[in-house]
Amino acid sequence: MAFEGLTGRLQNVFSKLRGKGKVSEDDVNEAMREVRLALLEADVNFKVVKDFVSKVKEKSIGKEVMDSFTPGMVIIDIVNKELTELMGGSQAKLAKSNKPPTVIMMAGLQGAGKTTTSGKLAKLLQKGNHRPLLVAGDIYRPAAIKQLQILGEQIKVPVFTLGDQTSPVEIARQAVQHAKDNNLDYVIIDTAGRLHIDEELMEELKQIHTVTNPDEVLLVVDAMTGQDAVNVADSFNKQLELTGVVLTKLDGDTRGGAALSVKAVTGCPIKFAALGEKIDALEPFHPERMASRILG
Ligand code: GDP
């Protein structure tokens, strides 16, 4: 289960607070010291933790909270609200172009879950009565085209491919035209990933961006990789102007660092969460629900 360690530790801190009829400034300081350690252990970015704790402290230490009937509960509520804020506050919705098709470019490192997520997103859009087109733009990983075709067949969504001999930039260009010609309203472009960020990959992504002028550039990151995921998001964002992040593998035993740091570090909202390998294991990301889940 994701966040298990963090949830357990936070619950410990809060049960101590809740047990007190009166909460002193020292109690708050002690609780925040423990919250700080719990977040660091969950691999949350150091600066994010520092800012978070100081905000919660500032709001908690004051006559109003300390004199309240249930100070412990009020402080827990403050933590809940600040966690929600940390993850973006409210749900960041997927863009919808006034001039269809809406073009979504998927980016990310190899193995993050890009191809799988493209299929899942197509399925989600289809459920919302849209007509998506999947585009096989990863021509370097031998199985990627086939993988997308199988996903497309499974959910009955068309897959646009020109094989692996045409450049991804040209494939993307023709795919958008194909969507226009066939009245398809969303284009989801699966792009190539590498094991590490490299110049060539970025250059290709930038060219696809120029040619298709996407409404969304979604970076798919593996939540299990914690701060690495955040660093990857930061580097991509500096070069590509991401519009959102998809966190995958939240069904695993991820500690929470990526979910809690990525928005604060990059400014990019998390738009979707993937919670499994199955085609319907993708959900719009709701910061408030995630905060409640983390608090347990
Ligand atoms: P890509 O290289 O980024 O296109 O990655 P793939 O889409 O091929 O995914 C890599 C692996 O991660 C595959 O085995 C997927 O089934 C798996 N995967 C993707 N998303 C999730 C997820 O949310 N949870 C789990 N458990 N596995 C996932």
Side-chain angles (χ1 to χ4, degrees):
M1 243 298 267
F3 310 125
E4 207 168 356
L6 179 57
T7 301
R9 291 194 61 160
L10 291 178
Q11 280 181 341
N12 260 343
V13 180
F14 295 144
S15 75
K16 274 190 232 160
L17 271 185
R18 226 185 272 124
K20 290 181 196 292
K22 239 175 160 19
V23 172
S24 68
E25 193 165 328
D26 281 349
D27 293 332
V28 174
N29 283 330
E30 172 61 14
M32 287 310 126
R33 201 182 64 80
E34 287 174 28
V35 167
R36 180 174 165 275
L37 288 174
L39 290 172
L40 287 174
E41 205 157 284
D43 201 21
V44 180
N45 173 281
F46 178 78
K47 186 168 180 307
V48 172
V49 173
K50 200 165 161 245
D51 290 350
F52 178 83
V53 168
S54 82
K55 263 190 211 153
V56 174
K57 235 189 222 176
E58 192 185 311
K59 291 193 174 152
S60 302
I61 297 177
K63 210 169 146 34
E64 232 169 274
V65 175
M66 312 281 219
D67 289 351
S68 85
F69 204 55
T70 52
M73 296 298 280
V74 179
I75 293 170
I76 295 166
D77 191 47
I78 292 171
V79 171
N80 192 347
K81 286 204 176 100
E82 287 302 321
L83 276 179
T84 305
E85 275 309 305
L86 196 56
M87 291 183 286
S90 55
Q91 190 200 349
K93 294 218 169 96
L94 192 71
K96 183 167 181 278
S97 172
N98 299 327
K99 257 178 66 194
T102 301
V103 177
I104 304 172
M105 200 175 142
M106 308 293 286
L109 297 184
Q110 195 172 314
K114 220 175 327 95
T115 306
T116 314
T117 304
S118 301
K120 289 174 179 173
L121 188 54
K123 165 101 195 201
L124 210 58
L125 286 166
Q126 193 187 42
K127 269 207 239 160
N129 288 325
H130 291 291
R131 298 172 307 282
L133 174 68
L134 283 164
V135 183
D138 182 358
I139 62 166
Y140 309 105
R141 185 161 66 92
I145 299 177
K146 189 79 202 148
Q147 189 185 344
L148 202 64
Q149 283 173 323
I150 291 170
L151 284 169
E153 266 167 41
Q154 198 183 332
I155 57 176
K156 299 195 167 41
V157 165
V159 175
F160 187 90
T161 168
L162 294 174
D164 60 4
Q165 298 301 311
T166 307
S167 86
V169 180
E170 182 57 22
I171 293 171
R173 195 187 63 76
Q174 289 197 30
V176 174
Q177 190 56 47
H178 178 86
K180 278 184 193 154
D181 295 344
N182 291 277
N183 199 23
L184 301 169
D185 61 352
Y186 274 86
V187 177
I188 302 168
I189 308 172
D190 185 24
T191 64
R194 304 276 198 275
L195 290 174
H196 302 282
I197 298 167
D198 65 45
E199 284 284 319
E200 220 179 307
L201 166 69
M202 279 303 172
E203 203 39 55
E204 183 175 295
L205 292 174
K206 282 183 194 165
Q207 284 181 27
I208 295 175
H209 193 286
T210 307
V211 164
T212 61
N213 190 22
D215 303 281
E216 289 276 3
V217 184
L218 296 182
L219 183 75
V220 179
V221 294
D222 178 344
M224 298 282 288
T225 62
Q227 281 317 289
D228 275 346
V230 179
N231 294 335
V232 167
D234 203 29
S235 318
F236 268 85
N237 192 37
K238 284 187 174 126
Q239 305 219 37
L240 261 188
E241 287 182 47
L242 304 174
T243 59
V245 169
V246 181
L247 278 186
T248 62
K249 310 189 194 183
L250 278 173
D251 51 312
D253 59 353
T254 167
R255 286 182 288 164
L260 288 168
S261 317
V262 82
K263 170 69 170 66
V265 173
T266 67
C268 260
I270 302 170
K271 291 204 168 165
F272 294 95
L275 297 124
E277 293 186 90
K278 295 221 173 76
I279 193 82
D280 49 9
L282 185 75
E283 299 173 357
F285 184 82
H286 294 277
E288 67 287 2
R289 284 188 213 161
M290 191 55 83
S292 303
R293 195 173 144 193
I294 290 170
L295 290 177

